[in-house]
Amino acid sequence: MSDKEILDRVNELVAEEHQLRERRTQGDLTEQQEHERLARLEIALDQCWDLLRQRRARLAAGADPDLAQARPISEVEGYQQ
């Protein structure tokens, strides 16, 4: 997955997040439904950002960025900020 493809996916996920919030405001979703889907979106976004950082780090180190792979959710969500 290229940097552009990752960023396109990030933009799709952010757009979906905005749509969910709008649907919740309009009463099309319950708070629980919104919360559950937002949690999944957040995880997907974290994986995308992690993959993008991996690709950029590999490129900066002179390695092939295409060898970067999405890490498991358990690993990405376990990072400390």
Side-chain angles (χ1 to χ4, degrees):
M1 188 178 258
S2 71
D3 288 6
K4 182 186 179 323
E5 290 170 320
I6 296 168
L7 291 171
D8 287 345
R9 180 68 180 138
V10 165
N11 288 328
E12 290 170 7
L13 293 167
V14 170
E16 185 176 346
E17 180 181 8
H18 290 216
Q19 290 170 352
L20 280 172
R21 293 185 190 284
E22 181 65 28
R23 289 181 61 201
R24 171 70 176 116
T25 300
Q26 294 173 353
D28 294 339
L29 293 174
T30 66
E31 184 176 348
Q32 174 88 14
Q33 290 169 319
E34 177 194 36
H35 178 73
E36 289 172 1
R37 183 58 188 146
L38 285 173
R40 290 192 301 269
L41 286 172
E42 181 179 317
I43 290 168
L45 281 166
D46 288 347
Q47 283 184 301
C48 286
W49 288 122
D50 177 67
L51 182 56
L52 188 61
R53 282 190 295 274
Q54 284 183 63
R55 288 182 53 80
R56 290 179 176 172
R58 291 185 66 77
L59 187 61
D64 184 354
D66 291 333
L67 296 179
Q69 296 181 8
R71 292 184 176 135
I73 293 168
S74 59
E75 186 174 340
V76 173
E77 291 304 298
Y79 293 154
Q80 297 204 358
Q81 300 277 331

